[in-house]
């Protein structure tokens, strides 16, 4: 870089650790770009945008948590079979893939913000149908609508947050959807416990009806959050994008820098415009860098589910019954500990993800999950029916969901919203979400049947093996993206050797600045 870089940015530490974007001009004056006050204001604004955008994920979490207990009463009230139980629980994930698949195109057409609104409306319709269902068939209609809504919401929230957040804290903010999923799961568990004392034909209906309440708050957020500046640039609404960036960045210089990067990434104002070819063609016949992005993103999405997290959460009552807990109320009370562990660990992830980095947390997560899943298998195989076995089962399940939530859970969505080029981001993220939902549905729908064939303990030994293999996947194919802008992250996939960590400490922003100066 030398003196050229220093002249461009004000001093040699222009891209320093304290603030990845702020230009540390030697002529800092009184207003210092109004720095402290404006900085606090923009950080609060982006924080609340991330919170509001994540509310849809409460719906998914609540459904996962509440269905684990509600299914006990649905089975008793409507006399459904074990196969119907598996289908009812697991079909949501399969159906949500249609919402995720449509989400990329939908969000490119109507915007990220209004796609979130559409997701809430569709989910609420499904929850209403399920609440008043009097047969398995009607329940399935409600599950269909709820699945579409969840698919849309899960896909779009991380994309929106990543596109509106500054690089320095994008990781923690993009983790918000996952913590809201966990919060929803905890609410679902609490709802199960609180309403389990009602008559059987009423209890599960009340449990499901409560899931409609978050949609009311989601509707109110539409009057608060702005549209994604990157989507606005894609629509050639440059001035509107600049207005949003002025609210989410700490200085006017930052705004112009970010706007220029986005325009270059979108092919606007550059001689190197994108070829006029189908986005899906770019995805299904990818260049080597895009291929590496897709393998990393879709692979991590699938790993998140094939390690068995949805089976663990949905069927935690079954696991605890296998460990020796007999009373329904005690089983449901035990699941609350699972919800608390999952939510608390996600808070830890939010604190550490932009400090420790994505890859170290993924190592901690996958290794910890491997140990805990193996422990569940050992406990159910050799220690069940005793107090020690029950305590070990609860501890191991809580440990598994905690390690999941400190790494794979949130970072999966963070990375898949970061790594793709702007033009492909929504569609590629949607494809990854489809893989996630398919794997989730297959695991949830087959858990009881597989457990009957090889035992619950055997099933967890399989999950443990898959989790061990995921450690290798993370090491070989996942890059470190901490502190880099969305546009800079594309550089990590130009060289396959950079994905395994050899270049994770490079100052990619400096390379970009040097390239522009030259």
């Amino acid at each position: 870089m030398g003196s050229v870089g220093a002249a461009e940015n004000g001093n040699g530490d222009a891209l320093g650790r304290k603030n990845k974007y702020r230009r540390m001009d030697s002529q800092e004056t009184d207003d210092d770009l109004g720095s402290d006050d404006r900085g606090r204001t923009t950080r609060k604004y982006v924080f609340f945008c991330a919170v509001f955008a994540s509310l849809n994920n409460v719906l998914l979490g609540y459904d996962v948590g509440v269905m684990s207990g509600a299914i006990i009463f649905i089975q008793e009230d409507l006399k459904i079979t074990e196969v119907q139980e598996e289908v009812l629980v697991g079909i949501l994930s399969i159906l949500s893939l249609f919402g995720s698949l449509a989400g990329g195109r939908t969000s490119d057409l109507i915007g990220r913000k209004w796609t979130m609104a559409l997701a809430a409306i569709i989910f609420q319709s499904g929850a209403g149908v399920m609440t008043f269902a009097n047969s398995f068939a009607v329940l399935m209609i409600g599950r269909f609508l709820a699945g579409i809504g969840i698919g849309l919401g899960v896909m779009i929230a991380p994309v929106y947050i990543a596109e509106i957040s500054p690089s320095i804290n994008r990781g923690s903010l993009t983790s918000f959807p996952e913590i809201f999923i966990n919060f929803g799961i905890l609410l679902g568990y609490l709802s199960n416990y609180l309403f389990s004392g009602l008559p059987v034909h009423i209890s599960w209906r009340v449990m499901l009806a409560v899931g409609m309440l978050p949609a009311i708050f989601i509707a109110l957020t539409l009057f608060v959050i702005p549209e994604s500046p990157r989507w606005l640039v894609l629509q050639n609404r440059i001035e509107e994008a600049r207005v949003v960036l002025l609210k989410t960045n700490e200085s006017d210089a930052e705004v112009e820098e970010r706007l220029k990067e986005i325009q270059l990434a979108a092919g606007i104002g550059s001689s190197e415009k994108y070829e006029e070819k189908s986005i899906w063609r770019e995805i299904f016949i990818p260049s080597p860098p895009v291929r590496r992005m897709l393998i990393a993103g879709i692979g991590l999405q699938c790993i998140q589910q094939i390690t068995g997290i949805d089976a663990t959460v949905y069927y935690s009552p079954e696991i605890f019954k296998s460990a020796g807990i007999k009373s329904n109320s005690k089983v449901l009370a035990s699941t609350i500990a699972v919800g608390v562990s999952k939510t608390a660990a996600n808070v830890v992830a939010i604190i550490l993800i932009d400090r420790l980095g994505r890859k170290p947390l993924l190592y901690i997560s996958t290794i910890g999950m491997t140990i805990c899943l193996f422990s569940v298998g050992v406990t159910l195989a050799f220690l069940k029916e005793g107090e020690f076995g029950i305590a070990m089962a609860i501890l191991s399940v809580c440990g598994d969901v905690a390690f999941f939530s400190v790494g794979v859970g949130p970072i999966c969505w963070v990375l898949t919203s970061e790594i793709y080029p702007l033009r492909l981001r929504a569609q590629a993220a949607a494809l990854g979400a489809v893989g996630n939902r398919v794997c989730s549905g297959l695991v949830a729908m087959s858990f009881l049947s597989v457990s009957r064939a090889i035992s619950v303990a055997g099933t967890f030994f399989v999950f443990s093996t898959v989790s061990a293999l995921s450690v290798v996947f993370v090491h070989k194919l996942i890059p470190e993206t901490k502190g880099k802008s969305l546009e800079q992250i594309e550089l990590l996939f130009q060289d396959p050797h950079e994905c395994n960590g050899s270049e994770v400490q490079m100052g990619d922003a400096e390379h970009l600045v040097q390239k522009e100066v030259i």
Side-chain angles (χ1 to χ4, degrees), residues 288-289 292-293 489-496 498-499:
R292 287 189 281 271
M293 294 173 189
I489 289 171
E490 293 182 39
L491 292 175
L492 295 175
F493 291 89
Q494 299 299 320
D495 182 348
E498 295 187 4
C499 286

Side-chain angles (χ1 to χ4, degrees), residues 28 37 100 106 109 178 208 288-290 309 311 330 332 359 384 455:
E28 287 182 308
D37 289 341
S100 294
T106 302
L109 287 174
E178 182 66 20
L208 296 179
V290 172
I309 188 62
K330 289 182 179 179
L332 295 178
K359 201 159 182 173
K384 61 182 180 180
S455 78

Side-chain angles (χ1 to χ4, degrees), residues 178-190:
E178 182 66 20
I179 196 172
F180 275 72
I181 289 176
N182 292 329
F183 181 63
I185 290 172
L186 179 57
L187 290 179
Y189 285 152
L190 288 171

Side-chain angles (χ1 to χ4, degrees), residues 135 328 352:
S135 68
N328 279 345
L352 294 180

Side-chain angles (χ1 to χ4, degrees), residues 73-154:
F73 303 100
I74 292 173
Q75 189 175 37
E76 186 177 346
D77 185 27
L78 301 183
K79 311 300 181 187
I80 64 175
T81 66
E82 185 177 275
V83 173
Q84 288 176 322
E85 178 185 349
E86 281 187 313
V87 171
L88 188 63
V89 169
I91 198 66
L92 186 85
S93 295
I94 298 295
L95 292 170
S96 66
L97 73 87
F98 295 106
S100 294
L101 195 59
R105 182 60 177 161
T106 302
S107 67
D108 281 344
L109 287 174
I110 67 174
R112 310 329 191 198
K113 173 179 172 178
W114 293 106
T115 301
M116 288 187 281
L118 180 63
I121 292 169
I122 296 174
F123 178 87
Q124 189 173 33
S125 301
V129 171
M130 287 190 291
T131 298
F132 297 101
N134 57 1
S135 68
F136 177 75
V138 177
L139 273 173
M140 289 299 294
I141 293 172
R143 295 296 273 176
F144 173 80
L145 292 171
I148 298 297
I150 282 175
L152 282 170
V154 166

Side-chain angles (χ1 to χ4, degrees), residues 42-283:
T42 56
R43 285 192 292 271
K44 288 179 181 178
Y45 184 76
V46 174
F47 174 84
F48 284 113
C49 285
V51 168
F52 292 149
S54 302
L55 287 177
N56 260 319
N57 293 67
V58 175
L59 303 178
L60 170 58
Y62 184 83
D63 184 274
V64 171
V66 80
M67 190 55 71
S68 69
I71 194 66
I72 298 172
F73 303 100
I74 292 173
Q75 189 175 37
E76 186 177 346
D77 185 27
L78 301 183
K79 311 300 181 187
I80 64 175
T81 66
E82 185 177 275
V83 173
Q84 288 176 322
E85 178 185 349
E86 281 187 313
V87 171
L88 188 63
V89 169
I91 198 66
L92 186 85
S93 295
I94 298 295
L95 292 170
S96 66
L97 73 87
F98 295 106
S100 294
L101 195 59
R105 182 60 177 161
T106 302
S107 67
D108 281 344
L109 287 174
I110 67 174
R112 310 329 191 198
K113 173 179 172 178
W114 293 106
T115 301
M116 288 187 281
L118 180 63
I121 292 169
I122 296 174
F123 178 87
Q124 189 173 33
S125 301
V129 171
M130 287 190 291
T131 298
F132 297 101
N134 57 1
S135 68
F136 177 75
V138 177
L139 273 173
M140 289 299 294
I141 293 172
R143 295 296 273 176
F144 173 80
L145 292 171
I148 298 297
I150 282 175
L152 282 170
V154 166
M155 171 265 155
I156 196 58
V159 171
Y160 173 84
I161 296 171
E163 290 185 346
I164 204 170
S165 304
S167 295
I168 196 168
N169 58 355
R170 185 182 61 249
S172 59
L173 292 173
T174 314
S175 302
F176 278 21
E178 182 66 20
I179 196 172
F180 275 72
I181 289 176
N182 292 329
F183 181 63
I185 290 172
L186 179 57
L187 290 179
Y189 285 152
L190 288 171
S191 178
N192 289 339
Y193 183 71
L194 291 174
F195 300 120
S196 61
L198 296 175
V200 171
H201 68 287
I202 295 176
S203 57
W204 65 269
R205 298 179 191 277
V206 175
M207 293 173 186
L208 296 179
V210 171
M212 293 188 286
L213 296 179
I216 298 172
F217 296 100
I218 293 169
L220 297 176
T221 66
L222 299 177
F223 299 99
V224 178
I225 64 175
E227 184 52 84
S228 159
R230 287 173 171 83
W231 182 81
L232 291 171
V233 168
L234 283 175
Q235 306 304 308
N236 208 24
R237 293 157 61 176
I238 308 301
E239 288 307 312
E240 292 178 61
R242 181 179 281 109
V243 169
V244 176
L245 289 169
L246 284 168
K247 295 179 180 179
T248 59
N249 289 273
E250 296 184 15
S251 74
D252 293 344
E254 254 178 73
V255 169
E256 296 307 318
E257 184 180 340
R258 297 284 68 75
L259 189 59
K260 183 179 179 181
E261 283 186 1
I262 296 168
Q263 287 178 280
L264 286 171
I268 297 173
S270 169
S271 59
E272 299 179 359
K273 292 181 180 291
Y274 285 105
E275 292 180 278
E276 290 298 324
K277 63 180 181 178
S278 167
I279 290 176
W280 285 114
R281 184 184 173 193
E282 293 182 57
I283 291 174

